[in-house]
Amino acid sequence: MVAAVLVLSGACRDSESASVGDTEATPGSAAPTTTVDGCEPSVPSTCTLRQLADRHGLLIGAALRPDLVGEDPEYGEVLAAEFNSVTPENAYKWPSTEPERGVYTWDDADATAEFAVGHDQAIRGHTLVWPNSFSAQQYEILPAYVGDAPDPETLQQYVDEHIEAVVNRYADVTDRWDVVNEPLSTIGAQVDANLLTDTLGEEWMVRAFQQTRALDPDAALYVNEILAERPGEKHDALIALVGRLLEAGAPIDGVGLQGHFLSGAPSFDELTAVMQDWEDLGLEVAVTELDIVAPDGEPATQAQMYADVFSSCLAVAACREITLWGVTDAHTWLNDFLGEESDPLLFDAEYRPKPAYRAVREVLAAEL
Ligand code: XIL
């Protein structure tokens, strides 16, 4: 039902040919190779990131906050012009959709879906279940009533009903889901000891994947993890966990690497090796929440790190997507999380494209 409303509301794809606020020098004499809506990749400044990503069949996304769409026209314009995918930053999460038992609040999620459909963007459904104990200390990631479930059966029922409600409402507009978010401990490499895993064992994850598959058979289903982008213990632990879940019958299609690089990004070799491991296991891989803080604070360092992340993804066929965790440095969760200005995104606080933007554009403009 919602899908029909969304489809009806979303016919136009605006700002498509505008390159955002970029005033760099006009092109030299290089002959254009492909022209897509006025974009000539041999002259990268004529193209948006979205146009260039489309040529690679790559999803380039941004986390979307519907409150900002209403507040600030430039936010929506840049998001629509530069990205072919959106991830609801918070709107699909359990505390947003069912803050009290049986009380559903869909406004933000509907607004997110309407925006995406209206601008011909894919949606990454983030996230169905996020029980991580470290994150729960920072944020409300499960509504209070979930913690008050009187017994394991009721807890499982809450999870089942939550998944059913969200997937049924957005299956038609959502082509991939972060079914399980952060199953490992944030710092460390064990399976996270949290309410769900402590009470229900790993079986709740298997069941979540099976249920989501049954409700939305066409969507790609992901495990999404933080701090697992470099070779090492946590990467190995994630491979082991995904292996166990697959073995137990969980229909997992891919692994999301969040990509919150708070003090520098992995090197091209590190990230490529990790992605290659996932490809070798027959899975998709995506960078799902990218933001980068350069240790030296230099825009040029940040730009190189962004370029390396995009180059890694283009080098591994299984990498289908890079999503940024926001659009502009004016609005980034990291300022709250770190308690200081972090400038981790591609556009500055005035929506001017940063060196990192141009570096990403160069990588995406490369010959196919
Ligand atoms: C963050 C949002 O950006 C914040 O607005 C919110 O207060 C807390 O969650 N890993 C995830 C994301 O999977 O959902 C988190 O998003 C950031 C860390």
Side-chain angles (χ1 to χ4, degrees):
M1 172 194 69
V2 165
V5 174
L6 295 172
V7 169
L8 285 175
S9 69
C12 77
R13 173 169 162 176
D14 64 14
S15 314
E16 180 72 334
S17 57
S19 140
V20 179
D22 204 355
T23 51
E24 60 187 36
T26 32
S29 54
T33 45
T34 329
T35 301
V36 188
D37 293 343
C39 156
E40 288 161 8
S42 62
V43 188
S45 63
T46 61
C47 303
T48 62
L49 301 185
R50 173 180 189 158
Q51 288 171 318
L52 293 169
D54 282 346
R55 295 163 63 239
H56 294 278
L58 179 74
L59 289 167
I60 182 163
L64 182 148
R65 279 181 41 193
D67 55 315
L68 297 176
V69 174
E71 242 169 60
D72 181 354
E74 212 166 358
Y75 176 82
E77 280 164 26
V78 175
L79 223 162
E82 297 286 346
F83 300 96
N84 59 21
S85 174
V86 304
T87 299
E89 184 163 343
N90 293 305
Y92 274 29
K93 290 174 184 168
W94 197 342
S96 305
T97 58
E98 194 188 358
E100 289 167 47
R101 177 92 182 115
V103 177
Y104 290 95
T105 46
W106 299 114
D107 287 0
D108 281 353
D110 283 359
T112 302
E114 257 169 54
F115 183 95
V117 170
H119 296 95
D120 199 15
Q121 293 166 311
I123 299 177
R124 181 176 194 92
H126 177 79
T127 174
L128 291 174
V129 197
W130 182 19
N132 181 274
S133 56
F134 179 87
S135 299
Q137 292 166 33
Q138 327 283 316
Y139 308 107
E140 192 206 7
I141 61 173
L142 294 172
Y145 63 85
V146 178
D148 296 337
D151 51 54
E153 292 71 33
T154 310
L155 180 62
Q156 182 64 63
Q157 186 193 341
Y158 288 174
V159 176
D160 291 350
E161 289 177 10
H162 160 65
I163 291 175
E164 188 178 1
V166 176
V167 177
N168 274 343
R169 191 167 180 94
Y170 298 113
D172 288 354
V173 294
T174 303
D175 66 354
R176 56 219 193 279
W177 293 96
D178 288 330
V179 177
V180 173
N181 197 34
E182 301 184 351
L184 298 179
S185 61
T186 303
I187 314 293
Q190 308 78 27
V191 173
D192 186 53
N194 58 53
L195 173 68
L196 294 193
T197 306
D198 284 355
T199 315
L200 304 168
E202 288 178 14
E203 180 58 27
W204 75 264
M205 300 189 227
V206 177
R207 186 168 163 137
F209 275 97
Q210 290 174 338
Q211 192 190 1
T212 308
R213 173 67 91 229
L215 294 164
D216 190 2
D218 298 332
L221 308 186
Y222 277 70
V223 172
N224 195 44
E225 188 52 271
I226 191 167
L227 298 175
E229 301 87 359
R230 291 177 167 90
E233 268 196 326
K234 193 161 182 185
H235 172 57
D236 295 343
L238 192 56
I239 289 179
L241 173 65
V242 168
R244 285 197 302 281
L245 297 177
L246 284 166
E247 182 72 26
I252 298 173
D253 300 303
V255 169
L257 307 171
Q258 291 186 5
H260 293 298
F261 299 130
L262 309 196
S263 68
S267 68
F268 172 84
D269 286 349
E270 289 172 317
L271 185 55
T272 305
V274 163
M275 289 182 167
Q276 191 61 54
D277 282 348
W278 292 116
E279 176 166 296
D280 292 346
L281 291 167
L283 294 169
E284 297 177 12
V285 62
V287 179
T288 54
E289 306 182 16
L290 182 61
D291 40 29
I292 302 179
V293 180
D296 61 5
E298 289 296 328
T301 309
Q302 183 187 48
Q304 185 58 52
M305 290 176 166
Y306 264 106
D308 287 345
V309 171
F310 274 77
S311 297
S312 291
C313 183
L314 291 186
V316 179
C319 183
R320 308 288 167 87
E321 166 190 357
I322 296 186
T323 285
L324 282 289
W325 209 239
V327 176
T328 158
D329 289 341
H331 304 291
T332 157
W333 77 297
L334 277 184
N335 287 352
D336 295 331
F337 187 76
L338 298 174
E340 58 186 24
E341 293 291 304
S342 54
D343 299 335
L345 294 167
L346 298 181
F347 293 88
D348 73 12
E350 271 79 49
Y351 293 94
R352 287 180 301 235
K354 293 161 58 178
Y357 172 93
R358 287 186 280 279
V360 167
R361 192 174 59 187
E362 289 293 327
V363 171
L364 292 177
E367 301 247 334
L368 294 175

